[in-house]
Structure formats: structure tokens, C-alpha cells
Amino acid sequence: MFGAVGSRLTLAGARASLLAQRATTTAHRQIAIAAFPPPPTNAPFTLWQPNMSSYLSDLLQSAVWFIKRTYQPSIIRKRRKTGFLKRHKSVGGRRTLRRRFNKGRARLGGC
């Protein structure tokens, strides 16, 4: 059903299957509607009726919650990359430190 790569599910495969499902003809939609009719209104309780399109849309919307964003802040990595010691190692970094010192910056290393 989903595009599996090894044992993982891929979002691209899920999108492809969703697009393939949307591309079905109206005859297939009518068959799907007939396969899962709504419950009668006079029933004392309603049973859950499976609906693949809502299931897939819910799955894709919940999958967004599991995607990590690109920026995962870390103070240690930030200081190692833009800190005073890193700037002091190279000629261009020393120029940057000198510029920031002349301007009166409180933090020369940029952190």
C-alpha cells in the first residue's frame, strides 16, 4: 500500500498511492461507497465504518508530526562553529574578531 524501502515507509510512496487513489474513476468511487454504506439513522449506536481516503489523509497529516525539522539547536555545536577560538585560528577569523572589537561588540565570537 505504501512505498516501502526495506522495512521503512516513505512519504513519497504514500503520496504516490494517495494520488493513484484519487485518480480512480467515478465508477470505482460508487463501488467504494456501496461497499461501506452509512449506518442507519435509527440505530441506537453506530459502528465505525472504514473509509480509506480519510484513513490515508489522517495518516499523512499525522506523519507531518514525525518529520524532524532541519534546525536542531545545540549550544556546543554553535560555539565550536562560530566561537572565539574558531575565529582566532584563521586569518579571516582574526579579521572578523578585530572588526567586532572595533565596533564595540560585547561578544566577539558571535555567540
Side-chain angles (χ1 to χ4, degrees):
M1 183 161 137
F2 295 103
V5 176
S7 63
R8 297 179 321 202
L9 298 177
T10 62
L11 191 57
R15 283 188 186 143
S17 65
L18 185 63
L19 291 175
Q21 180 186 0
R22 286 184 184 167
T24 58
T25 61
T26 56
H28 289 110
R29 287 188 189 130
Q30 290 172 352
I31 292 170
I33 291 170
F36 302 110
T41 56
N42 58 359
F45 60 91
T46 58
L47 297 175
W48 177 76
Q49 297 291 323
N51 185 353
M52 285 305 289
S53 63
S54 67
Y55 174 75
L56 284 176
S57 65
D58 290 344
L59 181 67
L60 287 175
Q61 287 174 358
S62 64
V64 171
W65 289 99
F66 300 116
I67 297 173
K68 285 181 75 174
R69 304 316 304 171
T70 55
Y71 180 62
Q72 300 292 320
S74 168
I75 293 174
I76 293 172
R77 275 188 281 163
K78 181 174 135 182
R79 298 254 163 93
R80 284 180 185 160
K81 190 171 187 176
T82 62
F84 179 84
L85 294 176
K86 183 75 170 191
R87 300 264 195 230
H88 197 65
K89 286 180 183 178
S90 66
V91 175
R94 286 192 291 273
R95 281 190 204 127
T96 303
L97 290 174
R98 193 176 316 119
R99 254 194 336 263
R100 292 178 68 85
F101 177 77
N102 290 338
K103 191 170 187 177
R105 295 276 187 187
R107 292 183 179 92
L108 296 181
C111 295

